[in-house]
Amino acid sequence: MAYALSHLDALEAEAVHIFREAVAERERPALLFSGGKDSAVLLRLAEKALRPGRFPFPVVHIDTGHNFPEVIAFRDRAVERLGERLIVASVQDSIDAGRVVEDNGPRASRNQLQTVTLLDAIAEHGFDALFGGARRDEERARAKERVFSHRDEFGQWDPKNQRPELWNLYNARCRKGEHFRVFPISNWTEMDVWQYVARERIELPEIYFSHQREVFNRDGMLYAVSEFVQRLEGEEPFTETVRFRTVGDMTCTAGVKSTASTLDEVIAEVATADITERGATRADDRVSEAAMEDRKREGYF
């Protein structure tokens, strides 16, 4: 009888291999968890790779203090269900300590401030590998990342000086103080993620599905009304049926009009989308064509 893997089986097998390889090669890994769909898939893949034992690493969340409350509630439920250790690094703590300075005004965002909080957490806990849910299909800087992506002693990434990766051979050697960002689902697409969520029946924050919400229009995007976002003159709130394709800081993450309330309906919607999830919903990626790459060079996710 012929034996063939489905494309999801093949992607899952590759991700499981990456998890096991990183855990075997590095002493102090951690898993970065935003509370989004890619992070939720990472947790399921970690279970496939490492159960029945506990994860040999903690789950780390960088909390801007301006997150969607539904996502924070989901984060806590997910980690409690797994019985794993959660480390929360707070951007507010970085502000209070004078490590970063918060901008003011209607377009102020804490999103970029996360970099300092993340690098401080890496140094404090001595992490030498951090699993992340970035995918190459999201945008051009993430498309350049290696699966085992080296960061220097300052947490910086040099896209012009990356290590070759041949087939599934990864180079995980680094000096003390350096670390790796490891991307087990780098080769997945947004559609792969949604199909895997459906196959594995993975719970997600409810904001991924259509719901009625008070929003306002800024630069053609629909932002949720919240205490964290100061509206400009003329940005009047109204109620719209929306869902979110990404989850992030409320100050830079927008929703899209959608009636997709089930996994099948979301998958059908993604299949016909003609703009990427980040292009459709993330103001921080509209600053410039190289906005993400600039942030990643400094140590961003």
Side-chain angles (χ1 to χ4, degrees):
M1 176 183 293
Y3 177 72
L5 292 176
S6 71
H7 83 285
L8 287 182
D9 289 335
L11 289 170
E12 179 188 81
E14 179 189 54
V16 165
H17 168 71
I18 292 166
F19 263 108
R20 291 174 177 169
E21 186 76 3
V23 167
E25 293 285 345
R26 303 311 315 164
E27 294 183 0
R28 297 182 67 84
L31 188 151
L32 291 172
F33 185 73
S34 69
K37 62 185 185 305
D38 303 307
S39 295
V41 166
L42 277 192
L43 287 181
R44 176 57 54 86
L45 292 167
E47 289 186 271
K48 299 248 179 169
L50 304 165
R51 290 299 195 218
R54 292 191 64 186
F55 297 167
F57 47 74
V59 175
V60 176
H61 181 232
I62 308 301
D63 188 350
T64 68
H66 292 172
N67 301 97
F68 289 87
E70 297 96 329
V71 174
I72 297 299
F74 168 72
R75 175 199 70 186
D76 294 341
R77 284 199 309 275
V79 175
E80 182 179 2
R81 178 185 66 79
L82 291 169
E84 298 295 342
R85 182 162 65 104
L86 174 66
I87 294 175
V88 177
S90 167
V91 170
Q92 184 61 56
D93 289 345
S94 298
I95 295 170
D96 294 341
R99 296 281 296 149
V100 293
V101 177
E102 185 173 22
D103 289 336
N104 296 310
R107 295 186 182 276
S109 172
R110 289 184 172 184
N111 190 55
Q112 195 161 349
L113 305 184
Q114 295 180 86
T115 299
V116 171
T117 307
L118 170 61
L119 295 179
D120 285 350
I122 292 170
E124 178 184 351
H125 297 281
F127 297 134
D128 58 12
L130 292 108
F131 296 104
R135 309 186 322 268
R136 287 181 170 134
D137 79 320
E138 290 183 82
E139 53 78 48
R140 64 186 65 188
R142 287 180 165 167
K144 297 179 183 178
E145 288 266 23
R146 297 292 191 262
V147 173
F148 277 58
S149 197
H150 177 260
R151 298 298 192 270
D152 67 16
E153 65 270 35
F154 303 106
Q156 296 175 328
W157 175 58
D158 183 356
K160 294 183 179 178
N161 184 27
Q162 300 191 79
R163 300 176 179 184
E165 290 185 338
L166 303 177
W167 303 286
N168 61 349
L169 302 177
Y170 307 115
N171 184 345
R173 292 185 178 181
C174 66
R175 292 188 289 266
K176 188 174 179 59
E178 300 175 344
H179 70 275
F180 282 91
R181 306 289 171 86
V182 182
F183 303 111
I185 62 170
S186 186
N187 291 326
W188 297 42
T189 66
E190 182 184 13
M191 177 61 82
D192 296 330
V193 168
W194 278 108
Q195 290 178 334
Y196 194 73
V197 166
R199 189 182 88 168
E200 299 291 317
R201 300 181 180 180
I202 297 172
E203 182 190 358
L204 294 180
E206 52 266 43
I207 64 172
Y208 275 115
F209 303 95
S210 72
H211 57 285
Q212 293 239 308
R213 198 175 197 106
E214 196 171 29
V215 298
F216 66 93
N217 190 323
R218 174 177 291 176
D219 305 327
M221 295 197 292
L222 300 176
Y223 290 87
V225 172
S226 83
E227 60 184 303
F228 309 126
V229 185
Q230 180 182 340
R231 295 195 302 276
L232 295 163
E233 185 176 349
E235 293 179 335
E236 298 300 328
F238 58 96
T239 301
E240 185 59 87
T241 302
V242 299
R243 74 175 193 88
F244 291 81
R245 290 178 67 181
T246 65
V247 301
D249 193 274
M250 293 186 76
T251 58
C252 64
T253 305
V256 295
K257 288 184 182 179
S258 173
T259 58
S261 59
T262 68
L263 281 171
D264 287 343
E265 289 172 349
V266 170
I267 289 170
E269 185 179 274
V270 170
T272 59
D274 58 3
I275 187 169
T276 67
E277 62 205 271
R278 295 195 69 90
T281 64
R282 296 299 292 263
D284 48 335
D285 288 346
R286 291 187 171 188
V287 176
S288 72
E289 289 190 355
M292 175 62 83
E293 183 166 321
D294 291 342
R295 294 199 301 274
K296 289 176 79 68
R297 283 174 179 271
E298 297 170 354
Y300 191 75
F301 301 89

